[in-house]
Amino acid sequence: MHFHLRGKFSVFICFSVFFLSACSSRPELMPTPNVYINTPYSESEIPETLRETSMELIYVTDRGTSRKKDVKYDASRSASIAYGIAKVDFENKSLQWNELLKQSNQKKRSTDLIYELEEVNELGRFPLSPYSFKRIDDKLQIDKGILEQKSYHETQLNNIINQRLANSETKDVVLFIHGFNNTFDEAVFTLGSLWHFLKRQGVPIVYSWPAAAEGLTAYFADKESGQFTIFHLKETLRLLFKNPEIENIHIIAHSRGTDVATTTLRELIIENRASGGNPRKDLRIENLILAAPDLDFGIIKQRLMAEQFGPAFGRITIYTSQEDSALGISQWLTNSLSFGRLNIKDVDENEQNIFNSVGNVSLIKVPASVNFIGHDYFHSNPAVSSDLINLILHNAAPGSKERPLKKLENNFWSLDSDYLIEH
């Protein structure tokens, strides 16, 4: 037993060091999705006011403010929610929109498109939580002053969202929730890439929680911070749900961010149903996309499936990979079955019947990644990003013309590396 634990601890140290050094490469625009190789990314589909190299993304975060030079937010935790605008551009200041458009259609680019975070402008901050409250006539009420501050910032943030909705053909929000060991900047760059290839439609919002802790116990620190952020994400989503200008919400969650997202959504769904509501109608979440989910499938069954989680969404799409080394190590360390490495044989008859009765859950097996880690394939693999883009832009079902996935068994589908490339 002692040898077994020591062996696991040694692997954990390697695992930690490996991932702590995994994000050292310079950030750049993600590879051109396959879907644009034959059908070009066209300027005519981009809102005229957004035809420029820079991108402005709304952010919401409960990260602490950093004292480090050139870093706005770090891995520490804040008791209040901050929101603002993050402006992304490219290091090459001579880059013009026409050249970016050209490079956005090329499989092999002739120039580097390295990102830089040009500006992070915090525009407001919600009251500290937990909110102070009083008991009045056997009812609990948040203090009036807190409610007024909260209402003010909700209005401010929704005004920012609505200004951007006015410039978009689709009145949708794309909310990205990053995973383990992702910094604030990295989360902004990832959604910036995706939004660019989503033809800059809808309103991109980065929800950044206090990940990327330092040290050998970073994974566990990030895991706990994922629990810390639940209330703040609930407050953020409630704000979006109450905004009548938003028609649809698309949530993309990655890695440990899938636990943050599903835990939060589970609580909101239960809350909505308890008040007599219909979460499918009231929450307006058209797509819940779980990419490389770092989730225990046994827990998924008892916490989500048992609570009738699926019917609250238009579609639930889970991207899985047997070659995901990060989830492989995580699975081995925790002696659990990772949802992000799920295979057909791992789903029994009862579970499959539940998936079938819900009818909106798709599990998609992705091709092996060229990246050794194989964990960020939802944006680094041009085949997978193509499927994700067509899912959001067209709300297309698996197996449709826009998403010609190969049917395996039951709810399982697959895509090849040349997916959506015409020959």
Side-chain angles (χ1 to χ4, degrees):
M1 176 65 73
H2 177 71
F3 176 79
H4 177 67
L5 291 175
R6 186 173 62 186
K8 280 203 169 186
F9 184 70
S10 298
V11 172
F12 171 66
I13 290 176
C14 295
F15 169 75
S16 300
V17 172
F18 186 64
F19 281 96
L20 287 172
S21 61
C23 299
S24 59
S25 60
R26 300 172 75 195
E28 61 182 312
L29 183 70
M30 73 187 210
T32 299
N34 287 351
V35 66
Y36 295 123
I37 301 302
N38 296 113
T39 306
Y41 178 93
S42 173
E43 179 180 73
S44 64
E45 298 175 89
I46 313 300
E48 189 172 350
T49 57
L50 301 176
R51 295 173 189 173
E52 55 186 14
T53 59
S54 65
M55 293 176 278
E56 292 188 349
L57 287 75
I58 297 172
Y59 72 84
V60 179
T61 188
D62 56 358
R63 289 178 180 270
T65 302
S66 179
R67 296 180 180 178
K68 294 181 180 179
K69 184 179 179 181
D70 299 328
V71 177
K72 179 73 174 181
Y73 301 106
D74 58 22
S76 63
R77 303 170 183 175
S78 171
S80 63
I81 305 169
Y83 60 91
I85 302 295
K87 185 175 182 179
V88 176
D89 210 333
F90 296 92
E91 280 188 357
N92 180 3
K93 295 307 177 185
S94 65
L95 182 70
Q96 299 295 311
W97 166 251
N98 287 342
E99 180 63 21
L100 176 59
L101 195 67
K102 175 184 174 182
Q103 299 297 328
S104 297
N105 285 313
Q106 294 183 357
K107 189 171 184 178
K108 292 185 178 180
R109 295 173 183 153
S110 57
T111 186
D112 291 332
L113 298 175
I114 306 298
Y115 280 130
E116 69 172 10
L117 195 54
E118 192 170 89
E119 184 181 0
V120 178
N121 186 13
E122 185 176 306
L123 299 176
R125 188 173 283 272
F126 283 75
L128 296 172
S129 62
Y131 306 141
S132 58
F133 62 90
K134 298 176 182 177
R135 185 185 295 275
I136 301 176
D137 298 329
D138 292 329
K139 291 184 179 180
L140 302 179
Q141 295 185 9
I142 297 173
D143 289 352
K144 183 178 179 181
I146 298 293
L147 286 175
E148 289 175 350
Q149 291 180 52
K150 186 169 174 287
S151 177
Y152 170 79
H153 288 292
E154 286 176 350
T155 301
Q156 289 292 102
L157 180 50
N158 269 322
N159 283 343
I160 296 168
I161 293 169
N162 292 344
Q163 288 169 9
R164 284 157 174 73
L165 282 173
N167 292 325
S168 174
E169 291 181 12
T170 62
K171 308 307 176 184
D172 295 359
V173 161
V174 180
L175 181 72
F176 175 57
I177 304 168
H178 61 75
F180 158 69
N181 198 33
N182 275 190
T183 65
F184 175 86
D185 294 15
E186 289 163 347
V188 171
F189 294 146
T190 298
L191 183 56
S193 273
L194 287 169
W195 184 59
H196 175 68
F197 284 111
L198 283 166
K199 302 177 181 178
R200 304 198 180 194
Q201 292 291 335
V203 178
I205 302 178
V206 176
Y207 184 86
S208 187
W209 51 282
E214 297 179 352
L216 294 179
T217 58
Y219 179 78
F220 298 111
D222 277 11
K223 190 173 182 180
E224 293 301 311
S225 286
Q227 296 302 306
F228 164 84
T229 201
I230 298 300
F231 176 72
H232 293 151
L233 180 54
K234 284 200 294 185
E235 289 287 85
T236 302
L237 287 171
R238 288 186 184 115
L239 177 151
L240 298 179
F241 298 155
K242 290 189 292 185
N243 186 335
E245 301 299 317
I246 299 172
E247 293 183 1
N248 297 298
I249 299 171
H250 308 279
I251 298 177
I252 305 170
H254 177 234
S255 186
R256 284 305 303 173
T258 60
D259 182 58
V260 173
T262 55
T263 299
T264 301
L265 290 167
R266 174 183 179 272
E267 293 183 11
L268 288 171
I269 290 166
I270 293 172
E271 176 184 285
N272 180 268
R273 286 177 178 152
S275 65
N278 176 347
R280 176 68 191 100
K281 179 180 178 180
D282 299 336
L283 309 189
R284 288 167 289 144
I285 301 176
E286 191 60 39
N287 283 292
L288 174 62
I289 299 167
L290 305 178
D294 187 3
L295 294 167
D296 183 325
F297 185 51
I299 295 174
I300 287 290
K301 290 186 285 187
Q302 298 306 319
R303 284 182 58 81
L304 301 185
M305 294 173 70
E307 295 283 2
Q308 294 91 49
F309 183 79
F313 309 93
R315 298 186 190 280
I316 299 177
T317 303
I318 303 107
Y319 291 104
T320 71
S321 172
Q322 292 293 304
E323 286 76 31
D324 190 327
S325 301
L327 293 186
I329 295 173
S330 176
Q331 178 174 282
W332 182 76
L333 286 170
T334 57
N335 293 317
S336 63
L337 173 60
S338 174
F339 199 28
R341 287 170 61 90
L342 200 66
N343 218 329
I344 297 171
K345 62 180 177 58
D346 299 319
V347 181
D348 66 26
E349 184 177 355
N350 178 56
E351 294 149 12
Q352 188 56 56
N353 287 338
I354 293 172
F355 281 141
N356 289 336
S357 65
V358 174
N360 65 345
V361 179
S362 303
L363 297 109
I364 302 173
K365 299 184 68 175
V366 307
S369 175
V370 295
N371 185 316
F372 172 69
I373 304 171
H375 193 53
D376 63 356
Y377 53 75
F378 74 103
H379 64 95
S380 66
N381 188 311
V384 184
S385 64
S386 292
D387 187 67
L388 188 154
I389 286 165
N390 274 5
L391 169 61
I392 293 178
L393 287 181
H394 305 294
N395 196 27
S400 64
K401 178 182 178 181
E402 293 85 0
R403 298 178 65 207
L405 296 157
K406 296 179 181 177
K407 185 71 178 283
L408 298 176
E409 293 180 29
N410 303 315
N411 297 73
F412 281 86
W413 303 78
S414 71
L415 57 83
D416 299 325
S417 58
D418 62 350
Y419 176 69
L420 289 177
I421 292 182
E422 297 177 9
H423 296 287

